[in-house]
Amino acid sequence: EAQVTQNPRYLITVTGKKLTVTCSQNMNHEYMSWYRQDPGLGLRQIYYSMNVEVTDKGDVPEGYKVSRKEKRNFPLILESPSPNQTSLYFCASSFSLANYNEQFFGPGTRLTVL
Amino acid sequence: GEDVEQSLFLSVREGDSSVINCTYTDSSSTYLYWYKQEPGAGLQLLTYIFSNMDMKQDQRLTVLLNKKDKHLSLRIADTQTGDSAIYFCAEKGDSTLGRLYFGRGTQLTVWP
């Protein structure tokens, strides 16, 4: 089944404790992206990747890192999480950014930073 | 980034039509999308429209695009309780280098 998977789905952590949220897609998509969703703010893009070893900042990249060493994986790294990073995170992928290409979303990771 | 605006809430009775509106600022938009998010799930593409179209119909869904006013709407006919969800408008254009910009989402509640 074609899908985007994220792990973990739920995570409660404490300020300053490094964490990684994994994202994997099995559709051979070139483009991958991370968003955060906050009430009343909608989805805001954190980082995106056009292809392997090509990443770029989105609209809210502060406090996050990403890597794209393989086409299928795009982990989101929080080196020193803070309470304002408590949010619902979505990974998405698409074949490319050209034309209408549909973005496929993962199920989300709900992160709470205490 | 570009601005995409939507009202936050809409309530309708089952069987009525729902109309969700969206405005955007990017004059170079090429594609506009409607995504649906059901409780506890990720977003799923509902429909999209190319910027040179005025209207697109797909079963109970009708998308209207007024490019001059930069206004997009989604009409759901015969709304059902299963249509209760958050609906996101998103746009993609040359100025965004193909990236999607999302609105804040409209929570549609359908009452039986």
Short mmCIF file of all heavy atoms in Angstrom, two decimals, chain A residues 21-78:
data_model
loop_
_atom_site.label_atom_id
_atom_site.label_comp_id
_atom_site.label_asym_id
_atom_site.label_seq_id
_atom_site.Cartn_x
_atom_site.Cartn_y
_atom_site.Cartn_z
N VAL A 21 11.77 12.50 14.96
CA VAL A 21 10.53 11.95 14.43
C VAL A 21 10.85 11.43 13.02
O VAL A 21 11.35 12.19 12.18
CB VAL A 21 9.40 13.00 14.37
CG1 VAL A 21 8.11 12.35 13.89
CG2 VAL A 21 9.20 13.66 15.72
N THR A 22 10.57 10.17 12.81
CA THR A 22 10.92 9.59 11.51
C THR A 22 9.76 9.72 10.54
O THR A 22 8.59 9.76 10.92
CB THR A 22 11.32 8.11 11.63
OG1 THR A 22 10.18 7.37 12.09
CG2 THR A 22 12.47 7.94 12.60
N CYS A 23 10.10 9.79 9.26
CA CYS A 23 9.11 9.82 8.17
C CYS A 23 9.65 8.97 7.04
O CYS A 23 10.82 9.11 6.65
CB CYS A 23 8.89 11.26 7.71
SG CYS A 23 7.86 11.36 6.21
N SER A 24 8.79 8.12 6.51
CA SER A 24 9.20 7.26 5.42
C SER A 24 8.07 7.14 4.41
O SER A 24 6.90 7.06 4.79
CB SER A 24 9.56 5.88 5.97
OG SER A 24 10.05 5.05 4.96
N GLN A 25 8.43 7.16 3.12
CA GLN A 25 7.42 6.97 2.07
C GLN A 25 7.90 5.87 1.12
O GLN A 25 9.09 5.73 0.87
CB GLN A 25 7.14 8.29 1.33
CG GLN A 25 8.36 9.04 0.83
CD GLN A 25 8.82 8.70 -0.56
OE1 GLN A 25 8.15 7.95 -1.29
NE2 GLN A 25 9.96 9.25 -0.97
N ASN A 26 6.92 5.13 0.59
CA ASN A 26 7.25 4.00 -0.27
C ASN A 26 6.81 4.22 -1.72
O ASN A 26 6.54 3.27 -2.45
CB ASN A 26 6.63 2.72 0.29
CG ASN A 26 5.11 2.79 0.36
OD1 ASN A 26 4.51 3.78 -0.04
ND2 ASN A 26 4.50 1.74 0.87
N MET A 27 6.70 5.49 -2.10
CA MET A 27 6.18 5.81 -3.43
C MET A 27 7.26 6.36 -4.36
O MET A 27 6.94 6.86 -5.45
CB MET A 27 5.05 6.85 -3.28
CG MET A 27 3.86 6.27 -2.51
SD MET A 27 2.65 7.52 -2.05
CE MET A 27 3.39 8.19 -0.57
N ASN A 28 8.50 6.31 -3.93
CA ASN A 28 9.62 6.81 -4.73
C ASN A 28 9.47 8.30 -5.06
O ASN A 28 9.87 8.78 -6.12
CB ASN A 28 9.77 6.02 -6.04
CG ASN A 28 11.17 6.15 -6.63
OD1 ASN A 28 12.16 6.23 -5.90
ND2 ASN A 28 11.26 6.19 -7.94
N HIS A 29 8.89 9.03 -4.10
CA HIS A 29 8.69 10.46 -4.30
C HIS A 29 9.99 11.23 -4.10
O HIS A 29 10.78 10.92 -3.22
CB HIS A 29 7.64 10.98 -3.31
CG HIS A 29 6.25 10.61 -3.70
ND1 HIS A 29 5.18 10.76 -2.84
CD2 HIS A 29 5.74 10.13 -4.85
CE1 HIS A 29 4.09 10.39 -3.45
NE2 HIS A 29 4.39 9.99 -4.67
N GLU A 30 10.15 12.26 -4.92
CA GLU A 30 11.34 13.11 -4.79
C GLU A 30 11.16 14.16 -3.70
O GLU A 30 12.08 14.48 -2.98
CB GLU A 30 11.63 13.80 -6.13
CG GLU A 30 12.08 12.84 -7.22
CD GLU A 30 12.46 13.57 -8.49
OE1 GLU A 30 12.18 14.78 -8.60
OE2 GLU A 30 13.03 12.92 -9.39
N TYR A 31 9.97 14.70 -3.61
CA TYR A 31 9.73 15.83 -2.72
C TYR A 31 9.16 15.35 -1.40
O TYR A 31 8.21 14.55 -1.36
CB TYR A 31 8.74 16.79 -3.38
CG TYR A 31 8.39 18.00 -2.55
CD1 TYR A 31 9.21 19.11 -2.51
CD2 TYR A 31 7.20 18.03 -1.83
CE1 TYR A 31 8.88 20.22 -1.76
CE2 TYR A 31 6.86 19.15 -1.07
CZ TYR A 31 7.71 20.24 -1.04
OH TYR A 31 7.37 21.34 -0.29
N MET A 32 9.74 15.82 -0.30
CA MET A 32 9.21 15.53 1.03
C MET A 32 9.22 16.81 1.86
O MET A 32 10.03 17.72 1.60
CB MET A 32 10.03 14.43 1.72
CG MET A 32 9.96 13.10 0.99
SD MET A 32 10.77 11.75 1.83
CE MET A 32 9.59 11.39 3.15
N SER A 33 8.34 16.85 2.83
CA SER A 33 8.15 18.09 3.56
C SER A 33 7.67 17.80 4.97
O SER A 33 7.00 16.78 5.21
CB SER A 33 7.12 18.96 2.82
OG SER A 33 6.87 20.15 3.50
N TRP A 34 7.98 18.70 5.90
CA TRP A 34 7.44 18.65 7.25
C TRP A 34 6.62 19.90 7.51
O TRP A 34 7.04 21.02 7.16
CB TRP A 34 8.57 18.59 8.29
CG TRP A 34 9.07 17.21 8.53
CD1 TRP A 34 10.23 16.66 8.06
CD2 TRP A 34 8.45 16.19 9.31
NE1 TRP A 34 10.36 15.37 8.50
CE2 TRP A 34 9.29 15.06 9.27
CE3 TRP A 34 7.26 16.13 10.05
CZ2 TRP A 34 8.98 13.87 9.93
CZ3 TRP A 34 6.95 14.95 10.71
CH2 TRP A 34 7.80 13.83 10.64
N TYR A 35 5.45 19.69 8.13
CA TYR A 35 4.58 20.77 8.54
C TYR A 35 4.27 20.62 10.02
O TYR A 35 4.29 19.52 10.56
CB TYR A 35 3.24 20.72 7.80
CG TYR A 35 3.31 20.88 6.30
CD1 TYR A 35 3.47 19.77 5.47
CD2 TYR A 35 3.18 22.13 5.71
CE1 TYR A 35 3.51 19.89 4.10
CE2 TYR A 35 3.22 22.27 4.32
CZ TYR A 35 3.39 21.16 3.53
OH TYR A 35 3.43 21.30 2.17
N ARG A 36 3.94 21.74 10.63
CA ARG A 36 3.35 21.68 11.96
C ARG A 36 1.97 22.32 11.90
O ARG A 36 1.74 23.27 11.14
CB ARG A 36 4.22 22.36 13.03
CG ARG A 36 4.52 23.81 12.84
CD ARG A 36 5.36 24.35 14.00
NE ARG A 36 4.58 24.47 15.24
CZ ARG A 36 5.09 24.81 16.43
NH1 ARG A 36 6.38 25.08 16.54
NH2 ARG A 36 4.32 24.90 17.50
N GLN A 37 1.05 21.73 12.66
CA GLN A 37 -0.32 22.23 12.68
C GLN A 37 -0.66 22.69 14.08
O GLN A 37 -0.58 21.91 15.04
CB GLN A 37 -1.31 21.14 12.24
CG GLN A 37 -2.74 21.63 12.19
CD GLN A 37 -3.71 20.53 11.79
OE1 GLN A 37 -3.37 19.35 11.75
NE2 GLN A 37 -4.94 20.92 11.48
N ASP A 38 -1.05 23.93 14.20
CA ASP A 38 -1.42 24.51 15.49
C ASP A 38 -2.81 25.12 15.37
O ASP A 38 -3.16 25.67 14.32
CB ASP A 38 -0.41 25.58 15.90
CG ASP A 38 1.01 25.01 16.01
OD1 ASP A 38 1.23 24.24 16.94
OD2 ASP A 38 1.85 25.34 15.15
N PRO A 39 -3.59 25.02 16.44
CA PRO A 39 -4.98 25.53 16.40
C PRO A 39 -5.03 26.98 15.94
O PRO A 39 -4.31 27.83 16.45
CB PRO A 39 -5.44 25.37 17.85
CG PRO A 39 -4.59 24.29 18.41
CD PRO A 39 -3.26 24.43 17.74
N GLY A 40 -5.88 27.24 14.96
CA GLY A 40 -6.05 28.61 14.47
C GLY A 40 -4.96 29.09 13.54
O GLY A 40 -5.08 30.18 12.98
N LEU A 41 -3.91 28.30 13.38
CA LEU A 41 -2.80 28.72 12.51
C LEU A 41 -2.68 27.86 11.26
O LEU A 41 -1.89 28.17 10.36
CB LEU A 41 -1.48 28.68 13.28
CG LEU A 41 -1.36 29.66 14.44
CD1 LEU A 41 -0.02 29.48 15.15
CD2 LEU A 41 -1.50 31.10 13.96
N GLY A 42 -3.40 26.75 11.21
CA GLY A 42 -3.32 25.89 10.04
C GLY A 42 -2.00 25.16 9.95
O GLY A 42 -1.34 24.90 10.97
N LEU A 43 -1.58 24.86 8.74
CA LEU A 43 -0.34 24.15 8.51
C LEU A 43 0.75 25.12 8.10
O LEU A 43 0.55 25.93 7.20
CB LEU A 43 -0.50 23.11 7.38
CG LEU A 43 -0.88 21.72 7.82
CD1 LEU A 43 -2.35 21.68 8.18
CD2 LEU A 43 -0.61 20.73 6.70
N ARG A 44 1.87 25.00 8.75
CA ARG A 44 3.02 25.83 8.39
C ARG A 44 4.20 24.92 8.08
O ARG A 44 4.47 23.98 8.81
CB ARG A 44 3.36 26.80 9.53
CG ARG A 44 2.27 27.84 9.78
CD ARG A 44 2.64 28.74 10.94
NE ARG A 44 2.64 28.01 12.20
CZ ARG A 44 3.15 28.48 13.34
NH1 ARG A 44 3.71 29.69 13.36
NH2 ARG A 44 3.11 27.77 14.45
N GLN A 45 4.89 25.23 7.01
CA GLN A 45 5.97 24.36 6.56
C GLN A 45 7.24 24.62 7.35
O GLN A 45 7.65 25.78 7.51
CB GLN A 45 6.21 24.57 5.07
CG GLN A 45 7.12 23.52 4.45
CD GLN A 45 7.26 23.70 2.96
OE1 GLN A 45 7.48 24.81 2.47
NE2 GLN A 45 7.11 22.62 2.21
N ILE A 46 7.87 23.55 7.79
CA ILE A 46 9.09 23.66 8.60
C ILE A 46 10.32 23.55 7.71
O ILE A 46 11.16 24.45 7.68
CB ILE A 46 9.12 22.56 9.68
CG1 ILE A 46 7.88 22.63 10.56
CG2 ILE A 46 10.38 22.68 10.53
CD1 ILE A 46 7.72 21.43 11.49
N TYR A 47 10.43 22.44 7.02
CA TYR A 47 11.52 22.19 6.09
C TYR A 47 10.97 21.37 4.93
O TYR A 47 9.95 20.70 5.06
CB TYR A 47 12.66 21.38 6.76
CG TYR A 47 13.76 22.19 7.37
CD1 TYR A 47 13.72 22.52 8.73
CD2 TYR A 47 14.84 22.61 6.62
CE1 TYR A 47 14.74 23.25 9.31
CE2 TYR A 47 15.87 23.36 7.20
CZ TYR A 47 15.81 23.67 8.54
OH TYR A 47 16.81 24.40 9.12
N TYR A 48 11.68 21.42 3.82
CA TYR A 48 11.33 20.57 2.71
C TYR A 48 12.58 20.09 1.99
O TYR A 48 13.66 20.64 2.19
CB TYR A 48 10.37 21.27 1.74
CG TYR A 48 10.92 22.48 1.04
CD1 TYR A 48 11.43 22.41 -0.26
CD2 TYR A 48 10.90 23.73 1.66
CE1 TYR A 48 11.91 23.53 -0.90
CE2 TYR A 48 11.40 24.86 1.02
CZ TYR A 48 11.89 24.75 -0.26
OH TYR A 48 12.38 25.87 -0.90
N SER A 49 12.38 19.07 1.18
CA SER A 49 13.50 18.48 0.46
C SER A 49 13.06 18.15 -0.96
O SER A 49 12.06 17.46 -1.17
CB SER A 49 13.97 17.20 1.16
OG SER A 49 14.88 16.49 0.36
N MET A 50 13.81 18.68 -1.92
CA MET A 50 13.47 18.44 -3.32
C MET A 50 14.00 17.09 -3.80
O MET A 50 13.49 16.54 -4.78
CB MET A 50 14.04 19.56 -4.19
CG MET A 50 13.58 20.93 -3.79
SD MET A 50 11.88 21.23 -4.25
CE MET A 50 12.10 21.62 -5.98
N ASN A 51 15.03 16.59 -3.14
CA ASN A 51 15.60 15.28 -3.52
C ASN A 51 16.67 14.92 -2.50
O ASN A 51 16.92 15.68 -1.54
CB ASN A 51 16.19 15.33 -4.93
CG ASN A 51 16.03 14.00 -5.66
OD1 ASN A 51 16.11 12.93 -5.04
ND2 ASN A 51 15.83 14.06 -6.95
N VAL A 52 17.31 13.81 -2.70
CA VAL A 52 18.34 13.35 -1.76
C VAL A 52 19.42 14.41 -1.63
O VAL A 52 19.87 14.99 -2.62
CB VAL A 52 18.95 12.02 -2.25
CG1 VAL A 52 20.10 11.60 -1.35
CG2 VAL A 52 17.89 10.94 -2.30
N GLU A 53 19.79 14.68 -0.37
CA GLU A 53 20.84 15.65 -0.03
C GLU A 53 20.48 17.09 -0.39
O GLU A 53 21.35 17.96 -0.36
CB GLU A 53 22.19 15.27 -0.69
CG GLU A 53 22.72 13.90 -0.32
CD GLU A 53 23.17 13.78 1.12
OE1 GLU A 53 23.04 14.74 1.89
OE2 GLU A 53 23.66 12.69 1.49
N VAL A 54 19.22 17.35 -0.71
CA VAL A 54 18.78 18.72 -1.01
C VAL A 54 17.66 19.08 -0.05
O VAL A 54 16.55 18.54 -0.14
CB VAL A 54 18.27 18.85 -2.46
CG1 VAL A 54 17.84 20.30 -2.73
CG2 VAL A 54 19.33 18.41 -3.45
N THR A 55 17.96 19.95 0.91
CA THR A 55 16.94 20.39 1.86
C THR A 55 16.93 21.90 1.93
O THR A 55 17.94 22.55 1.63
CB THR A 55 17.18 19.82 3.27
OG1 THR A 55 18.43 20.32 3.78
CG2 THR A 55 17.23 18.30 3.26
N ASP A 56 15.78 22.45 2.34
CA ASP A 56 15.69 23.90 2.44
C ASP A 56 14.68 24.28 3.51
O ASP A 56 13.78 23.49 3.86
CB ASP A 56 15.29 24.52 1.11
CG ASP A 56 15.90 25.89 0.92
OD1 ASP A 56 16.33 26.51 1.92
OD2 ASP A 56 15.96 26.36 -0.23
N LYS A 57 14.85 25.49 4.03
CA LYS A 57 13.97 25.96 5.10
C LYS A 57 12.61 26.32 4.55
O LYS A 57 12.48 26.88 3.46
CB LYS A 57 14.58 27.20 5.76
CG LYS A 57 15.88 26.93 6.48
CD LYS A 57 16.46 28.24 7.03
CE LYS A 57 17.77 27.96 7.76
NZ LYS A 57 18.39 29.20 8.28
N GLY A 58 11.59 26.02 5.36
CA GLY A 58 10.26 26.48 5.06
C GLY A 58 10.00 27.79 5.77
O GLY A 58 10.90 28.62 5.89
N ASP A 59 8.80 27.94 6.29
CA ASP A 59 8.42 29.21 6.92
C ASP A 59 8.73 29.27 8.41
O ASP A 59 8.87 30.37 8.95
CB ASP A 59 6.93 29.46 6.70
CG ASP A 59 6.59 29.58 5.23
OD1 ASP A 59 7.27 30.38 4.55
OD2 ASP A 59 5.68 28.89 4.75
N VAL A 60 8.84 28.14 9.07
CA VAL A 60 9.11 28.13 10.51
C VAL A 60 10.20 27.12 10.86
O VAL A 60 9.97 26.16 11.60
CB VAL A 60 7.82 27.84 11.32
CG1 VAL A 60 6.87 29.03 11.29
CG2 VAL A 60 7.11 26.58 10.81
N PRO A 61 11.44 27.30 10.39
CA PRO A 61 12.48 26.28 10.59
C PRO A 61 13.21 26.34 11.92
O PRO A 61 13.94 25.40 12.27
CB PRO A 61 13.45 26.61 9.46
CG PRO A 61 13.33 28.10 9.30
CD PRO A 61 11.87 28.42 9.56
N GLU A 62 13.03 27.44 12.68
CA GLU A 62 13.83 27.62 13.89
C GLU A 62 13.59 26.50 14.88
O GLU A 62 12.45 26.19 15.24
CB GLU A 62 13.51 28.97 14.54
CG GLU A 62 13.88 30.19 13.71
CD GLU A 62 12.90 30.47 12.60
OE1 GLU A 62 11.74 29.98 12.69
OE2 GLU A 62 13.27 31.15 11.63
N GLY A 63 14.69 25.91 15.37
CA GLY A 63 14.60 24.86 16.37
C GLY A 63 14.50 23.46 15.80
O GLY A 63 14.40 22.49 16.55
N TYR A 64 14.56 23.36 14.48
CA TYR A 64 14.42 22.05 13.82
C TYR A 64 15.61 21.81 12.88
O TYR A 64 16.21 22.74 12.38
CB TYR A 64 13.14 21.99 12.98
CG TYR A 64 11.88 22.27 13.74
CD1 TYR A 64 11.35 23.56 13.76
CD2 TYR A 64 11.21 21.26 14.42
CE1 TYR A 64 10.18 23.83 14.46
CE2 TYR A 64 10.05 21.53 15.12
CZ TYR A 64 9.53 22.82 15.13
OH TYR A 64 8.39 23.08 15.83
N LYS A 65 15.89 20.52 12.67
CA LYS A 65 16.85 20.11 11.65
C LYS A 65 16.24 18.95 10.89
O LYS A 65 15.38 18.24 11.40
CB LYS A 65 18.17 19.65 12.29
CG LYS A 65 19.07 20.74 12.76
CD LYS A 65 20.27 20.21 13.51
CE LYS A 65 21.08 19.21 12.71
NZ LYS A 65 22.28 18.76 13.44
N VAL A 66 16.71 18.76 9.66
CA VAL A 66 16.28 17.62 8.87
C VAL A 66 17.48 17.05 8.13
O VAL A 66 18.54 17.68 8.06
CB VAL A 66 15.20 18.00 7.83
CG1 VAL A 66 13.89 18.38 8.49
CG2 VAL A 66 15.70 19.11 6.92
N SER A 67 17.31 15.86 7.60
CA SER A 67 18.33 15.28 6.72
C SER A 67 17.63 14.44 5.67
O SER A 67 16.51 13.97 5.88
CB SER A 67 19.33 14.45 7.51
OG SER A 67 18.73 13.26 8.00
N ARG A 68 18.27 14.29 4.52
CA ARG A 68 17.69 13.46 3.46
C ARG A 68 18.84 12.66 2.83
O ARG A 68 19.38 12.98 1.78
CB ARG A 68 17.02 14.35 2.42
CG ARG A 68 16.23 13.55 1.38
CD ARG A 68 14.82 13.35 1.73
NE ARG A 68 14.07 12.55 0.78
CZ ARG A 68 13.46 13.05 -0.30
NH1 ARG A 68 13.54 14.33 -0.58
NH2 ARG A 68 12.78 12.24 -1.08
N LYS A 69 19.19 11.59 3.53
CA LYS A 69 20.30 10.76 3.07
C LYS A 69 19.81 9.70 2.08
O LYS A 69 20.59 9.17 1.27
CB LYS A 69 20.99 10.11 4.25
CG LYS A 69 21.74 11.09 5.14
CD LYS A 69 22.51 10.39 6.24
CE LYS A 69 23.44 11.30 6.99
NZ LYS A 69 22.78 12.51 7.53
N GLU A 70 18.53 9.35 2.20
CA GLU A 70 17.95 8.37 1.29
C GLU A 70 16.65 8.97 0.78
O GLU A 70 16.03 9.78 1.47
CB GLU A 70 17.61 7.06 2.00
CG GLU A 70 18.68 6.49 2.87
CD GLU A 70 18.07 5.50 3.84
OE1 GLU A 70 17.61 5.93 4.91
OE2 GLU A 70 18.03 4.31 3.51
N LYS A 71 16.22 8.50 -0.38
CA LYS A 71 15.02 9.07 -0.98
C LYS A 71 13.78 8.83 -0.12
O LYS A 71 12.90 9.68 -0.04
CB LYS A 71 14.81 8.46 -2.36
CG LYS A 71 13.95 9.28 -3.29
CD LYS A 71 14.01 8.71 -4.69
CE LYS A 71 13.34 9.63 -5.68
NZ LYS A 71 13.40 9.12 -7.06
N ARG A 72 13.68 7.69 0.51
CA ARG A 72 12.45 7.33 1.19
C ARG A 72 12.30 7.95 2.58
O ARG A 72 11.20 8.02 3.10
CB ARG A 72 12.31 5.82 1.28
CG ARG A 72 13.39 5.12 2.07
CD ARG A 72 13.20 3.61 2.03
NE ARG A 72 11.97 3.22 2.70
CZ ARG A 72 11.05 2.43 2.15
NH1 ARG A 72 11.20 1.98 0.93
NH2 ARG A 72 9.97 2.11 2.82
N ASN A 73 13.39 8.40 3.19
CA ASN A 73 13.33 8.85 4.59
C ASN A 73 13.64 10.33 4.75
O ASN A 73 14.55 10.86 4.09
CB ASN A 73 14.31 8.05 5.45
CG ASN A 73 13.95 6.59 5.51
OD1 ASN A 73 12.78 6.24 5.58
ND2 ASN A 73 14.96 5.73 5.48
N PHE A 74 12.93 10.96 5.65
CA PHE A 74 13.12 12.40 5.88
C PHE A 74 12.85 12.68 7.36
O PHE A 74 11.80 13.19 7.74
CB PHE A 74 12.16 13.19 4.98
CG PHE A 74 12.40 14.68 4.93
CD1 PHE A 74 13.67 15.20 4.79
CD2 PHE A 74 11.33 15.57 4.99
CE1 PHE A 74 13.89 16.56 4.72
CE2 PHE A 74 11.53 16.94 4.92
CZ PHE A 74 12.81 17.43 4.80
N PRO A 75 13.81 12.37 8.23
CA PRO A 75 13.59 12.57 9.66
C PRO A 75 13.62 14.03 10.08
O PRO A 75 14.36 14.84 9.51
CB PRO A 75 14.76 11.80 10.30
CG PRO A 75 15.82 11.78 9.25
CD PRO A 75 15.11 11.75 7.93
N LEU A 76 12.82 14.34 11.09
CA LEU A 76 12.77 15.68 11.69
C LEU A 76 13.45 15.59 13.05
O LEU A 76 13.07 14.77 13.88
CB LEU A 76 11.32 16.15 11.84
CG LEU A 76 11.11 17.51 12.47
CD1 LEU A 76 11.58 18.62 11.53
CD2 LEU A 76 9.63 17.71 12.81
N ILE A 77 14.42 16.44 13.27
CA ILE A 77 15.22 16.39 14.50
C ILE A 77 15.00 17.66 15.31
O ILE A 77 15.11 18.78 14.77
CB ILE A 77 16.72 16.25 14.15
CG1 ILE A 77 16.95 15.00 13.30
CG2 ILE A 77 17.58 16.20 15.43
CD1 ILE A 77 18.13 15.08 12.39
N LEU A 78 14.70 17.47 16.59
CA LEU A 78 14.62 18.59 17.52
C LEU A 78 15.78 18.41 18.49
O LEU A 78 15.75 17.54 19.37
CB LEU A 78 13.28 18.60 18.25
CG LEU A 78 12.06 19.10 17.47
CD1 LEU A 78 11.61 18.07 16.43
CD2 LEU A 78 10.92 19.43 18.42
#
